[in-house]
């Protein structure tokens, strides 16, 4: 059983991780707004992310697990995450960071729906209602007009679906594989895929020194984000830590306001709140059910 001090450290690690991911995305968006095309941004960030992740693996002595991390299950998971990231970087270039991240946060809701559909697991009417509320929130963020969703919003939804499928595929990945080793494999696959996408679809823009510094920082912070999530669940109880994953929304709104000088409109803010509230409610509902099952006598 985890102690209150350990849970507090786990919460701090999760808050640090989500902030790190948003810092990573902020640097990427700054570079795309300066004219460097999305796949090139992702490719260059991938070089730095692979380097940072490999260095962290060596520093922590987890490099021995690299061979196992190239299993079929791990590569399949990495493939779906790569598809998601490729969609996300293009979406991020075309919409506000808070809006893009809000739509991405429907991924856990999609995961539950897919598990219920593919695995035929019962999810109950309350969870269905909460999932529906989350998707209504996503619609408020995307705000389709008479012609439908914008291409950027559709790509953000595709990225969320890719993450949900990634998490389903991740169930088959052996728990014996260190999280950082699996992360390195994902970073390598993303690097290769974005490089192919860049070569096939984009005219390469020569990055300047500031671009490279931003992408170095982006690769560093995405690695910190992966490691922070890993440590959060190691330090604290999952039921206590999981709700703080939704701090993404707070950091994203702050980034949009402080760095880009824009704030989602009132309707989008309501939608962001609905997505976060529905996700938190599902996490807390599952936690309560787990407690009730734990107290039922055998």
């Amino acid at each position: 059983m985890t102690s209150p001090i350990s849970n507090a450290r786990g919460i701090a690690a999760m808050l640090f991780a989500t902030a790190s991911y948003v810092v990573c995305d902020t640097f990427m968006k700054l570079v795309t707004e300066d004219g460097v095309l999305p796949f090139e941004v992702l490719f260059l960030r991938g070089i730095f992310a692979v380097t940072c992740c490999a260095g962290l693996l060596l520093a922590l002595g987890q490099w021995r697990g690299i061979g196992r991390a190239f299993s079929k299950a791990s590569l399949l998971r990495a493939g779906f995450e790569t598809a998601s990231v490729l969609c996300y970087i293009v979406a991020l270039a075309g919409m506000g960071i808070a809006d893009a991240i809000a739509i991405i946060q429907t991924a856990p809701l999609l995961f539950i729906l897919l598990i219920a559909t593919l695995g035929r697991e019962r999810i109950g009417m309350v969870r269905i209602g909460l999932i529906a509320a989350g998707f209504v929130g996503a619609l408020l963020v995307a705000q389709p007009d008479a012609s439908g969703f914008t291409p950027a919003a559709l790509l953000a939804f595709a990225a969320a679906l890719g993450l949900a499928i990634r998490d389903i595929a991740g169930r088959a990945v052996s728990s014996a594989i260190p999280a950082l080793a699996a992360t390195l494999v994902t970073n390598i696959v993303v690097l290769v895929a974005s490089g192919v996408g860049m070569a096939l679809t984009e005219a390469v823009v020569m990055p300047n020194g500031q671009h490279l510094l931003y992408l170095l920082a982006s690769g560093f912070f995405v690695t910190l984000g992966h490691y922070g999530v890993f440590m959060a669940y190691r330090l604290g109880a999952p039921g206590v830590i999981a709700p703080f994953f939704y701090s993404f929304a707070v950091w994203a709104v702050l980034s949009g306001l402080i760095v880009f000088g824009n704030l989602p409109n009132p309707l989008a803010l309501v939608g962001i709140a609905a997505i976060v509230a529905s996700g938190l409610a599902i996490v807390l509902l599952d936690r309560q059910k787990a407690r009730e099952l734990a107290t039922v006598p055998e």
Side-chain angles (χ1 to χ4, degrees), residues 6 9-15 17 227-237 241:
S6 184
R9 289 174 178 169
I11 290 168
M14 180 57 80
L15 292 173
Y227 184 64
V229 170
F230 171 66
M231 289 305 298
Y233 286 112
R234 244 189 171 185
L235 290 167
I241 302 304

mmCIF file of all heavy atoms in Angstrom, residues 6 9-15 17 227-237 241:
data_model
loop_
_atom_site.group_PDB
_atom_site.id
_atom_site.type_symbol
_atom_site.label_atom_id
_atom_site.label_comp_id
_atom_site.label_asym_id
_atom_site.label_seq_id
_atom_site.Cartn_x
_atom_site.Cartn_y
_atom_site.Cartn_z
ATOM 1 N N SER A 6 4.300 9.045 -0.714
ATOM 2 C CA SER A 6 4.576 8.434 -2.009
ATOM 3 C C SER A 6 3.549 8.876 -3.048
ATOM 4 O O SER A 6 3.894 9.179 -4.195
ATOM 5 C CB SER A 6 4.568 6.911 -1.876
ATOM 6 O OG SER A 6 4.934 6.310 -3.104
ATOM 7 N N ARG A 9 4.304 12.356 -4.192
ATOM 8 C CA ARG A 9 5.409 12.361 -5.162
ATOM 9 C C ARG A 9 4.921 11.893 -6.531
ATOM 10 O O ARG A 9 5.345 12.427 -7.566
ATOM 11 C CB ARG A 9 6.533 11.461 -4.664
ATOM 12 C CG ARG A 9 7.289 12.049 -3.458
ATOM 13 C CD ARG A 9 8.295 11.053 -2.917
ATOM 14 N NE ARG A 9 9.056 11.618 -1.804
ATOM 15 C CZ ARG A 9 9.851 10.909 -1.013
ATOM 16 N NH1 ARG A 9 10.004 9.588 -1.217
ATOM 17 N NH2 ARG A 9 10.506 11.496 -0.033
ATOM 18 N N GLY A 10 4.061 10.893 -6.541
ATOM 19 C CA GLY A 10 3.505 10.407 -7.800
ATOM 20 C C GLY A 10 2.678 11.475 -8.503
ATOM 21 O O GLY A 10 2.770 11.647 -9.726
ATOM 22 N N ILE A 11 1.874 12.211 -7.730
ATOM 23 C CA ILE A 11 1.074 13.305 -8.296
ATOM 24 C C ILE A 11 1.994 14.380 -8.874
ATOM 25 O O ILE A 11 1.766 14.886 -9.982
ATOM 26 C CB ILE A 11 0.142 13.901 -7.221
ATOM 27 C CG1 ILE A 11 -0.963 12.892 -6.866
ATOM 28 C CG2 ILE A 11 -0.472 15.215 -7.698
ATOM 29 C CD1 ILE A 11 -1.746 13.268 -5.625
ATOM 30 N N ALA A 12 3.043 14.723 -8.133
ATOM 31 C CA ALA A 12 4.004 15.718 -8.610
ATOM 32 C C ALA A 12 4.657 15.263 -9.915
ATOM 33 O O ALA A 12 4.850 16.058 -10.848
ATOM 34 C CB ALA A 12 5.063 15.979 -7.548
ATOM 35 N N ALA A 13 4.990 13.969 -9.996
ATOM 36 C CA ALA A 13 5.603 13.429 -11.209
ATOM 37 C C ALA A 13 4.637 13.513 -12.388
ATOM 38 O O ALA A 13 5.039 13.841 -13.509
ATOM 39 C CB ALA A 13 6.040 11.984 -10.979
ATOM 40 N N MET A 14 3.352 13.224 -12.149
ATOM 41 C CA MET A 14 2.367 13.294 -13.224
ATOM 42 C C MET A 14 2.165 14.738 -13.687
ATOM 43 O O MET A 14 2.071 15.007 -14.890
ATOM 44 C CB MET A 14 1.041 12.697 -12.767
ATOM 45 C CG MET A 14 -0.052 12.743 -13.846
ATOM 46 S SD MET A 14 0.408 11.899 -15.385
ATOM 47 C CE MET A 14 0.086 10.188 -14.918
ATOM 48 N N LEU A 15 2.087 15.672 -12.747
ATOM 49 C CA LEU A 15 1.946 17.084 -13.118
ATOM 50 C C LEU A 15 3.161 17.552 -13.929
ATOM 51 O O LEU A 15 3.033 18.284 -14.912
ATOM 52 C CB LEU A 15 1.788 17.946 -11.865
ATOM 53 C CG LEU A 15 0.476 17.762 -11.077
ATOM 54 C CD1 LEU A 15 0.530 18.543 -9.774
ATOM 55 C CD2 LEU A 15 -0.719 18.203 -11.913
ATOM 56 N N ALA A 17 5.056 15.589 -15.740
ATOM 57 C CA ALA A 17 5.016 14.912 -17.032
ATOM 58 C C ALA A 17 4.082 15.614 -18.007
ATOM 59 O O ALA A 17 4.444 15.873 -19.159
ATOM 60 C CB ALA A 17 4.577 13.458 -16.843
ATOM 61 N N TYR A 227 9.130 9.725 -19.166
ATOM 62 C CA TYR A 227 9.739 9.245 -17.929
ATOM 63 C C TYR A 227 8.900 9.657 -16.715
ATOM 64 O O TYR A 227 8.752 8.893 -15.755
ATOM 65 C CB TYR A 227 11.159 9.803 -17.794
ATOM 66 C CG TYR A 227 11.908 9.281 -16.590
ATOM 67 C CD1 TYR A 227 12.214 7.922 -16.498
ATOM 68 C CD2 TYR A 227 12.294 10.115 -15.559
ATOM 69 C CE1 TYR A 227 12.896 7.431 -15.398
ATOM 70 C CE2 TYR A 227 12.972 9.630 -14.461
ATOM 71 C CZ TYR A 227 13.270 8.284 -14.384
ATOM 72 O OH TYR A 227 13.930 7.797 -13.280
ATOM 73 N N GLY A 228 8.333 10.867 -16.763
ATOM 74 C CA GLY A 228 7.503 11.334 -15.654
ATOM 75 C C GLY A 228 6.272 10.478 -15.441
ATOM 76 O O GLY A 228 5.913 10.151 -14.305
ATOM 77 N N VAL A 229 5.613 10.088 -16.534
ATOM 78 C CA VAL A 229 4.440 9.214 -16.425
ATOM 79 C C VAL A 229 4.845 7.870 -15.834
ATOM 80 O O VAL A 229 4.170 7.320 -14.950
ATOM 81 C CB VAL A 229 3.768 9.030 -17.805
ATOM 82 C CG1 VAL A 229 2.708 7.927 -17.745
ATOM 83 C CG2 VAL A 229 3.129 10.326 -18.262
ATOM 84 N N PHE A 230 5.951 7.337 -16.330
ATOM 85 C CA PHE A 230 6.456 6.059 -15.828
ATOM 86 C C PHE A 230 6.710 6.123 -14.320
ATOM 87 O O PHE A 230 6.290 5.257 -13.551
ATOM 88 C CB PHE A 230 7.742 5.709 -16.583
ATOM 89 C CG PHE A 230 8.488 4.527 -16.023
ATOM 90 C CD1 PHE A 230 7.944 3.265 -16.061
ATOM 91 C CD2 PHE A 230 9.748 4.691 -15.471
ATOM 92 C CE1 PHE A 230 8.636 2.176 -15.549
ATOM 93 C CE2 PHE A 230 10.448 3.620 -14.960
ATOM 94 C CZ PHE A 230 9.884 2.353 -15.002
ATOM 95 N N MET A 231 7.380 7.184 -13.874
ATOM 96 C CA MET A 231 7.692 7.325 -12.449
ATOM 97 C C MET A 231 6.452 7.611 -11.612
ATOM 98 O O MET A 231 6.345 7.158 -10.470
ATOM 99 C CB MET A 231 8.721 8.444 -12.255
ATOM 100 C CG MET A 231 10.110 8.102 -12.749
ATOM 101 S SD MET A 231 10.767 6.572 -12.024
ATOM 102 C CE MET A 231 10.801 7.014 -10.280
ATOM 103 N N ALA A 232 5.491 8.339 -12.178
ATOM 104 C CA ALA A 232 4.272 8.670 -11.434
ATOM 105 C C ALA A 232 3.551 7.403 -10.987
ATOM 106 O O ALA A 232 3.149 7.273 -9.820
ATOM 107 C CB ALA A 232 3.350 9.529 -12.297
ATOM 108 N N TYR A 233 3.391 6.454 -11.912
ATOM 109 C CA TYR A 233 2.681 5.223 -11.573
ATOM 110 C C TYR A 233 3.535 4.263 -10.745
ATOM 111 O O TYR A 233 3.005 3.350 -10.118
ATOM 112 C CB TYR A 233 2.173 4.539 -12.848
ATOM 113 C CG TYR A 233 0.993 5.265 -13.447
ATOM 114 C CD1 TYR A 233 1.098 5.927 -14.660
ATOM 115 C CD2 TYR A 233 -0.233 5.305 -12.788
ATOM 116 C CE1 TYR A 233 0.018 6.603 -15.198
ATOM 117 C CE2 TYR A 233 -1.320 5.972 -13.324
ATOM 118 C CZ TYR A 233 -1.193 6.619 -14.522
ATOM 119 O OH TYR A 233 -2.261 7.290 -15.055
ATOM 120 N N ARG A 234 4.833 4.489 -10.753
ATOM 121 C CA ARG A 234 5.705 3.691 -9.895
ATOM 122 C C ARG A 234 5.664 4.189 -8.457
ATOM 123 O O ARG A 234 5.730 3.408 -7.513
ATOM 124 C CB ARG A 234 7.142 3.773 -10.402
ATOM 125 C CG ARG A 234 7.689 2.438 -10.867
ATOM 126 C CD ARG A 234 9.169 2.550 -11.130
ATOM 127 N NE ARG A 234 9.725 1.247 -11.363
ATOM 128 C CZ ARG A 234 11.011 1.020 -11.536
ATOM 129 N NH1 ARG A 234 11.858 2.013 -11.497
ATOM 130 N NH2 ARG A 234 11.449 -0.192 -11.732
ATOM 131 N N LEU A 235 5.531 5.498 -8.297
ATOM 132 C CA LEU A 235 5.579 6.094 -6.963
ATOM 133 C C LEU A 235 4.243 6.029 -6.240
ATOM 134 O O LEU A 235 4.199 5.810 -5.025
ATOM 135 C CB LEU A 235 6.022 7.563 -7.073
ATOM 136 C CG LEU A 235 7.474 7.808 -7.471
ATOM 137 C CD1 LEU A 235 7.688 9.274 -7.854
ATOM 138 C CD2 LEU A 235 8.415 7.430 -6.329
ATOM 139 N N GLY A 236 3.161 6.253 -6.952
ATOM 140 C CA GLY A 236 1.850 6.361 -6.310
ATOM 141 C C GLY A 236 0.874 5.304 -6.776
ATOM 142 O O GLY A 236 1.127 4.566 -7.733
ATOM 143 N N ALA A 237 -0.267 5.233 -6.094
ATOM 144 C CA ALA A 237 -1.330 4.305 -6.465
ATOM 145 C C ALA A 237 -1.985 4.788 -7.755
ATOM 146 O O ALA A 237 -2.324 5.976 -7.877
ATOM 147 C CB ALA A 237 -2.364 4.225 -5.351
ATOM 148 N N ILE A 241 -3.247 8.611 -8.917
ATOM 149 C CA ILE A 241 -2.462 9.352 -9.901
ATOM 150 C C ILE A 241 -3.254 9.677 -11.163
ATOM 151 O O ILE A 241 -3.149 10.785 -11.710
ATOM 152 C CB ILE A 241 -1.203 8.536 -10.287
ATOM 153 C CG1 ILE A 241 -0.357 8.233 -9.046
ATOM 154 C CG2 ILE A 241 -0.375 9.279 -11.334
ATOM 155 C CD1 ILE A 241 0.073 9.435 -8.263
#
